[in-house]
Amino acid sequence: MASSSLSLFRALLFLSLATSAFSTRPYKEGLTPYFYNYVCPQALPAIKRVVEAAVQQERRMGASLLRLHFHDCFVNGCDASILLDETPTIHSEKLAGPNNNSARGFEVIDQIKAEVDKACGYSLVSCADILAIAARDSVVALGGPSWEVQLGRRDSTTASRTTANNDLPAPNMDLPALINTFQKQGLDTKDLVALSGAHTIGFAQCFTFRNRTYNDTNIATHFTRSLRSSCPRTGQDSNLAHLDPSPAQFDALYFHNLLTQKGLLHSDQALYSGGSTNELVKTYSDDVEAFWDDFAKSMVKMGNIKPLIGNQGQIRLNCRRVN
């Protein structure tokens, strides 16, 4: 009986601490990298283990998890809305044009959620925070920089397919459109170039670069020939091409490619097309440390886009649906 009472006391104490962590801090205090330090110090190591295993199994998964965080934050803030499945009342962002049949890694997020809840003994860590941490851990797993992830986000109870269609950067955008899209999120030109450097890892599908391959003039001839061999004018939309020569290594070759007109997407090459971002592309091409430093800062800045904090939103028990 005494043992049972002690266990109940500990469970109630843990629940009290967890509730306090998410409910008592006013919104104006913002996020903090120490949010889970006392209530569940096992949370971040658990996330890291799952991410490392997933990336080891498939290197491309690192880019996919990073992309999920991007595509989450650009749609009404970093609130895990991208993870919600379609329901009669939720128009899933997974079905938006920029995500449909291309956003991936949802099963890894499910696995992370299960493992971190098991480690904490309670559904304590938000899906939004999981996305932010998994993005950082993916970059590190692929040889890139680390940074302190700001934490304390809560999860949305809705999604917006319309906003996803309207606000996510498109692969055919020119520089003014890209600058405007990022400014809408409170991100400046340096953030645009640094965060575009995420394309130093991963792949893109044929339909995203077909128009550039057959119609753009600022593209290297031999590069065009190579792309056309795997991406015909019609069909084979899902065929993949790597975004830079080392798609499983977080380096600066993406920026080297731009200098030689070998950016895969029209929106990539737009960063080095005689506009205001040319010099920054050159800087990052010559100095990977400068790129890494600015990328890390911009990731933190992006992660601060309209978070739900305090009593806003919820902590989802399942990242794919509201409680």
Side-chain angles (χ1 to χ4, degrees):
M1 180 67 70
S3 176
S4 176
S5 298
L6 181 59
S7 296
L8 177 61
F9 172 76
R10 286 174 176 170
L12 291 172
L13 177 61
F14 184 88
L15 179 59
S16 175
L17 287 171
T19 303
S20 175
F22 285 102
S23 302
T24 62
R25 201 179 57 211
Y27 179 89
K28 67 180 180 180
E29 288 187 17
L31 307 176
T32 169
Y34 314 112
F35 193 81
Y36 299 105
N37 280 19
Y38 297 103
V39 291
C40 186
Q42 305 93 341
L44 270 64
I47 295 171
K48 183 180 180 181
R49 286 194 300 272
V50 178
V51 170
E52 288 180 341
V55 173
Q56 184 175 8
Q57 181 176 352
E58 182 197 5
R59 302 283 282 177
R60 181 187 171 200
M61 185 55 67
S64 299
L65 294 175
L66 176 59
R67 186 170 183 256
L68 280 182
H69 184 43
F70 271 74
H71 282 218
D72 180 40
C73 291
F74 269 69
V75 182
N76 296 327
C78 308
D79 60 2
S81 58
I82 193 173
L83 302 178
L84 291 172
D85 286 339
E86 181 82 359
T87 73
T89 58
I90 291 177
H91 300 294
S92 177
E93 294 165 23
K94 295 177 181 180
L95 301 180
N99 295 325
N100 194 26
N101 296 319
S102 65
R104 57 195 299 273
F106 300 108
E107 294 81 5
V108 177
I109 299 299
D110 291 340
Q111 184 182 356
I112 292 173
K113 178 64 173 171
E115 289 297 317
V116 77
D117 284 358
K118 179 180 177 182
C120 295
Y122 182 73
S123 189
L124 176 67
V125 181
S126 69
C127 302
D129 277 349
I130 286 174
L131 284 175
I133 299 164
R136 188 272 310 277
D137 290 348
S138 293
V139 170
V140 173
L142 293 175
S146 184
W147 59 92
E148 279 194 327
V149 179
Q150 302 293 308
L151 301 168
R153 302 169 191 80
R154 286 167 65 88
D155 300 323
S156 68
T157 56
T158 187
S160 177
R161 189 185 309 162
T162 299
T163 305
N165 281 320
N166 291 336
D167 287 2
L168 287 170
N172 62 344
M173 281 184 171
D174 58 16
L175 185 58
L178 288 168
I179 291 173
N180 181 65
T181 298
F182 275 68
Q183 284 181 340
K184 187 174 181 180
Q185 305 296 339
L187 301 172
D188 59 27
T189 302
K190 178 179 281 190
D191 299 316
L192 162 62
V193 180
L195 292 174
S196 294
H199 284 180
T200 192
I201 55 175
F203 297 78
Q205 295 185 66
C206 168
F207 77 91
T208 65
F209 59 85
R210 174 182 285 122
N211 188 65
R212 168 161 168 73
T213 302
Y214 290 94
N215 297 308
D216 283 6
T217 57
N218 60 342
I219 185 169
T221 302
H222 65 285
F223 185 56
T224 301
R225 285 197 297 266
S226 174
L227 293 176
R228 289 179 180 180
S229 67
S230 62
C231 184
R233 286 186 181 274
T234 59
Q236 301 185 44
D237 286 359
S238 60
N239 282 3
L240 297 175
H242 45 72
L243 285 157
D244 88 349
S246 55
Q249 184 67 33
F250 200 93
D251 50 33
L253 289 185
Y254 167 79
F255 297 105
H256 284 273
N257 265 16
L258 302 186
L259 298 183
T260 54
Q261 296 190 327
K262 289 184 289 187
L264 181 62
L265 306 179
H266 181 90
S267 56
D268 290 328
Q269 197 60 53
L271 300 179
Y272 193 78
S273 56
S276 60
T277 54
N278 271 23
E279 288 305 313
L280 197 52
V281 169
K282 289 180 182 177
T283 297
Y284 292 158
S285 175
D286 293 335
D287 188 348
V288 68
E289 295 292 339
F291 163 47
W292 282 5
D293 185 57
D294 286 348
F295 180 83
K297 291 175 182 175
S298 293
M299 285 296 292
V300 173
K301 187 174 178 181
M302 185 186 75
N304 281 327
I305 298 175
K306 294 185 290 187
L308 301 175
I309 298 183
N311 293 319
Q312 299 175 318
Q314 62 181 210
I315 306 300
R316 290 189 213 136
L317 302 176
N318 183 319
C319 289
R320 293 173 180 260
R321 58 177 181 264
V322 298
N323 297 344

mmCIF file of all heavy atoms in Angstrom, residues 68-80 82 153 168 185 302-306:
data_model
loop_
_atom_site.group_PDB
_atom_site.id
_atom_site.type_symbol
_atom_site.label_atom_id
_atom_site.label_comp_id
_atom_site.label_asym_id
_atom_site.label_seq_id
_atom_site.Cartn_x
_atom_site.Cartn_y
_atom_site.Cartn_z
ATOM 1 N N LEU A 68 10.504 19.183 -43.490
ATOM 2 C CA LEU A 68 9.241 19.217 -42.750
ATOM 3 C C LEU A 68 9.186 20.426 -41.819
ATOM 4 O O LEU A 68 8.136 21.081 -41.692
ATOM 5 C CB LEU A 68 9.063 17.928 -41.935
ATOM 6 C CG LEU A 68 8.576 16.680 -42.666
ATOM 7 C CD1 LEU A 68 8.421 15.538 -41.675
ATOM 8 C CD2 LEU A 68 7.264 16.946 -43.400
ATOM 9 N N HIS A 69 10.290 20.715 -41.151
ATOM 10 C CA HIS A 69 10.320 21.865 -40.243
ATOM 11 C C HIS A 69 10.139 23.168 -41.020
ATOM 12 O O HIS A 69 9.382 24.049 -40.597
ATOM 13 C CB HIS A 69 11.645 21.863 -39.475
ATOM 14 C CG HIS A 69 11.764 22.940 -38.444
ATOM 15 N ND1 HIS A 69 10.746 23.286 -37.586
ATOM 16 C CD2 HIS A 69 12.809 23.773 -38.136
ATOM 17 C CE1 HIS A 69 11.153 24.271 -36.779
ATOM 18 N NE2 HIS A 69 12.388 24.576 -37.119
ATOM 19 N N PHE A 70 10.819 23.306 -42.158
ATOM 20 C CA PHE A 70 10.649 24.480 -43.018
ATOM 21 C C PHE A 70 9.187 24.647 -43.401
ATOM 22 O O PHE A 70 8.597 25.726 -43.247
ATOM 23 C CB PHE A 70 11.473 24.317 -44.299
ATOM 24 C CG PHE A 70 12.882 24.818 -44.225
ATOM 25 C CD1 PHE A 70 13.842 24.115 -43.518
ATOM 26 C CD2 PHE A 70 13.266 25.981 -44.872
ATOM 27 C CE1 PHE A 70 15.148 24.549 -43.460
ATOM 28 C CE2 PHE A 70 14.568 26.430 -44.818
ATOM 29 C CZ PHE A 70 15.524 25.720 -44.112
ATOM 30 N N HIS A 71 8.617 23.583 -43.943
ATOM 31 C CA HIS A 71 7.261 23.672 -44.479
ATOM 32 C C HIS A 71 6.217 23.817 -43.379
ATOM 33 O O HIS A 71 5.103 24.275 -43.646
ATOM 34 C CB HIS A 71 6.970 22.466 -45.362
ATOM 35 C CG HIS A 71 7.589 22.569 -46.723
ATOM 36 N ND1 HIS A 71 6.970 22.132 -47.866
ATOM 37 C CD2 HIS A 71 8.782 23.081 -47.125
ATOM 38 C CE1 HIS A 71 7.751 22.365 -48.916
ATOM 39 N NE2 HIS A 71 8.864 22.932 -48.479
ATOM 40 N N ASP A 72 6.565 23.454 -42.170
ATOM 41 C CA ASP A 72 5.682 23.714 -41.041
ATOM 42 C C ASP A 72 5.706 25.195 -40.681
ATOM 43 O O ASP A 72 4.659 25.835 -40.573
ATOM 44 C CB ASP A 72 6.106 22.869 -39.841
ATOM 45 C CG ASP A 72 5.219 23.089 -38.624
ATOM 46 O OD1 ASP A 72 3.987 23.212 -38.814
ATOM 47 O OD2 ASP A 72 5.740 23.143 -37.505
ATOM 48 N N CYS A 73 6.893 25.736 -40.512
ATOM 49 C CA CYS A 73 7.031 27.103 -40.000
ATOM 50 C C CYS A 73 6.487 28.159 -40.955
ATOM 51 O O CYS A 73 6.008 29.213 -40.519
ATOM 52 C CB CYS A 73 8.498 27.406 -39.684
ATOM 53 S SG CYS A 73 9.139 26.493 -38.256
ATOM 54 N N PHE A 74 6.538 27.910 -42.257
ATOM 55 C CA PHE A 74 6.093 28.900 -43.236
ATOM 56 C C PHE A 74 4.571 28.954 -43.361
ATOM 57 O O PHE A 74 4.045 29.793 -44.084
ATOM 58 C CB PHE A 74 6.728 28.621 -44.602
ATOM 59 C CG PHE A 74 8.025 29.337 -44.823
ATOM 60 C CD1 PHE A 74 9.160 28.987 -44.112
ATOM 61 C CD2 PHE A 74 8.115 30.385 -45.727
ATOM 62 C CE1 PHE A 74 10.362 29.645 -44.304
ATOM 63 C CE2 PHE A 74 9.312 31.065 -45.925
ATOM 64 C CZ PHE A 74 10.443 30.698 -45.215
ATOM 65 N N VAL A 75 3.875 28.061 -42.676
ATOM 66 C CA VAL A 75 2.411 28.034 -42.750
ATOM 67 C C VAL A 75 1.846 28.300 -41.361
ATOM 68 O O VAL A 75 1.753 27.396 -40.526
ATOM 69 C CB VAL A 75 1.909 26.688 -43.305
ATOM 70 C CG1 VAL A 75 0.386 26.696 -43.416
ATOM 71 C CG2 VAL A 75 2.539 26.406 -44.660
ATOM 72 N N ASN A 76 1.545 29.533 -41.073
ATOM 73 C CA ASN A 76 0.971 29.945 -39.792
ATOM 74 C C ASN A 76 1.866 29.631 -38.598
ATOM 75 O O ASN A 76 1.386 29.410 -37.488
ATOM 76 C CB ASN A 76 -0.414 29.311 -39.584
ATOM 77 C CG ASN A 76 -1.425 29.789 -40.603
ATOM 78 O OD1 ASN A 76 -1.371 30.931 -41.051
ATOM 79 N ND2 ASN A 76 -2.341 28.926 -40.997
ATOM 80 N N GLY A 77 3.168 29.593 -38.817
ATOM 81 C CA GLY A 77 4.099 29.415 -37.717
ATOM 82 C C GLY A 77 4.468 27.969 -37.448
ATOM 83 O O GLY A 77 3.903 27.035 -38.014
ATOM 84 N N CYS A 78 5.442 27.790 -36.545
ATOM 85 C CA CYS A 78 5.993 26.463 -36.239
ATOM 86 C C CYS A 78 5.097 25.759 -35.229
ATOM 87 O O CYS A 78 5.348 25.795 -34.018
ATOM 88 C CB CYS A 78 7.415 26.600 -35.696
ATOM 89 S SG CYS A 78 8.507 27.604 -36.731
ATOM 90 N N ASP A 79 4.049 25.121 -35.713
ATOM 91 C CA ASP A 79 3.013 24.569 -34.825
ATOM 92 C C ASP A 79 2.637 23.128 -35.149
ATOM 93 O O ASP A 79 1.629 22.614 -34.667
ATOM 94 C CB ASP A 79 1.760 25.450 -34.880
ATOM 95 C CG ASP A 79 1.163 25.542 -36.282
ATOM 96 O OD1 ASP A 79 1.695 24.891 -37.213
ATOM 97 O OD2 ASP A 79 0.164 26.272 -36.460
ATOM 98 N N ALA A 80 3.440 22.469 -35.979
ATOM 99 C CA ALA A 80 3.204 21.070 -36.351
ATOM 100 C C ALA A 80 1.919 20.863 -37.134
ATOM 101 O O ALA A 80 1.418 19.739 -37.223
ATOM 102 C CB ALA A 80 3.220 20.155 -35.117
ATOM 103 N N ILE A 82 1.648 20.810 -40.248
ATOM 104 C CA ILE A 82 1.937 19.988 -41.420
ATOM 105 C C ILE A 82 1.750 18.493 -41.153
ATOM 106 O O ILE A 82 1.577 17.701 -42.074
ATOM 107 C CB ILE A 82 3.383 20.246 -41.920
ATOM 108 C CG1 ILE A 82 3.583 19.632 -43.313
ATOM 109 C CG2 ILE A 82 4.412 19.699 -40.926
ATOM 110 C CD1 ILE A 82 4.903 19.975 -43.950
ATOM 111 N N ARG A 153 7.258 25.197 -27.760
ATOM 112 C CA ARG A 153 6.113 25.342 -28.667
ATOM 113 C C ARG A 153 5.014 24.351 -28.281
ATOM 114 O O ARG A 153 5.282 23.291 -27.743
ATOM 115 C CB ARG A 153 6.529 25.051 -30.117
ATOM 116 C CG ARG A 153 7.630 25.915 -30.663
ATOM 117 C CD ARG A 153 8.146 25.371 -32.000
ATOM 118 N NE ARG A 153 9.362 26.043 -32.395
ATOM 119 C CZ ARG A 153 10.565 25.754 -31.917
ATOM 120 N NH1 ARG A 153 10.695 24.781 -31.030
ATOM 121 N NH2 ARG A 153 11.625 26.417 -32.324
ATOM 122 N N LEU A 168 4.279 28.915 -49.128
ATOM 123 C CA LEU A 168 5.528 28.175 -49.246
ATOM 124 C C LEU A 168 6.281 28.606 -50.501
ATOM 125 O O LEU A 168 5.679 28.819 -51.550
ATOM 126 C CB LEU A 168 5.254 26.671 -49.293
ATOM 127 C CG LEU A 168 4.839 26.044 -47.960
ATOM 128 C CD1 LEU A 168 4.347 24.615 -48.173
ATOM 129 C CD2 LEU A 168 5.995 26.056 -46.975
ATOM 130 N N GLN A 185 7.437 36.234 -43.644
ATOM 131 C CA GLN A 185 7.656 35.443 -42.429
ATOM 132 C C GLN A 185 8.595 36.148 -41.443
ATOM 133 O O GLN A 185 8.985 35.553 -40.429
ATOM 134 C CB GLN A 185 8.242 34.075 -42.787
ATOM 135 C CG GLN A 185 7.429 33.288 -43.789
ATOM 136 C CD GLN A 185 6.056 32.910 -43.287
ATOM 137 O OE1 GLN A 185 5.805 32.887 -42.077
ATOM 138 N NE2 GLN A 185 5.138 32.620 -44.200
ATOM 139 N N MET A 302 13.910 31.297 -37.810
ATOM 140 C CA MET A 302 12.749 30.690 -38.440
ATOM 141 C C MET A 302 11.911 29.920 -37.424
ATOM 142 O O MET A 302 10.674 29.945 -37.459
ATOM 143 C CB MET A 302 13.182 29.753 -39.569
ATOM 144 C CG MET A 302 12.013 29.161 -40.354
ATOM 145 S SD MET A 302 12.518 27.932 -41.578
ATOM 146 C CE MET A 302 12.898 26.533 -40.508
ATOM 147 N N GLY A 303 12.575 29.243 -36.500
ATOM 148 C CA GLY A 303 11.869 28.479 -35.481
ATOM 149 C C GLY A 303 11.053 29.334 -34.532
ATOM 150 O O GLY A 303 10.216 28.816 -33.782
ATOM 151 N N ASN A 304 11.283 30.645 -34.556
ATOM 152 C CA ASN A 304 10.543 31.580 -33.702
ATOM 153 C C ASN A 304 9.318 32.174 -34.392
ATOM 154 O O ASN A 304 8.682 33.078 -33.844
ATOM 155 C CB ASN A 304 11.458 32.718 -33.247
ATOM 156 C CG ASN A 304 12.369 32.310 -32.113
ATOM 157 O OD1 ASN A 304 12.014 31.497 -31.276
ATOM 158 N ND2 ASN A 304 13.563 32.867 -32.084
ATOM 159 N N ILE A 305 8.990 31.689 -35.588
ATOM 160 C CA ILE A 305 7.835 32.237 -36.302
ATOM 161 C C ILE A 305 6.541 31.801 -35.614
ATOM 162 O O ILE A 305 6.196 30.617 -35.581
ATOM 163 C CB ILE A 305 7.818 31.787 -37.774
ATOM 164 C CG1 ILE A 305 9.048 32.303 -38.525
ATOM 165 C CG2 ILE A 305 6.546 32.281 -38.463
ATOM 166 C CD1 ILE A 305 9.157 31.794 -39.948
ATOM 167 N N LYS A 306 5.863 32.738 -35.026
ATOM 168 C CA LYS A 306 4.519 32.576 -34.440
ATOM 169 C C LYS A 306 4.311 31.274 -33.670
ATOM 170 O O LYS A 306 3.389 30.499 -33.963
ATOM 171 C CB LYS A 306 3.460 32.711 -35.535
ATOM 172 C CG LYS A 306 3.380 34.086 -36.151
ATOM 173 C CD LYS A 306 2.243 34.219 -37.139
ATOM 174 C CE LYS A 306 2.470 33.430 -38.399
ATOM 175 N NZ LYS A 306 1.437 33.690 -39.445
#
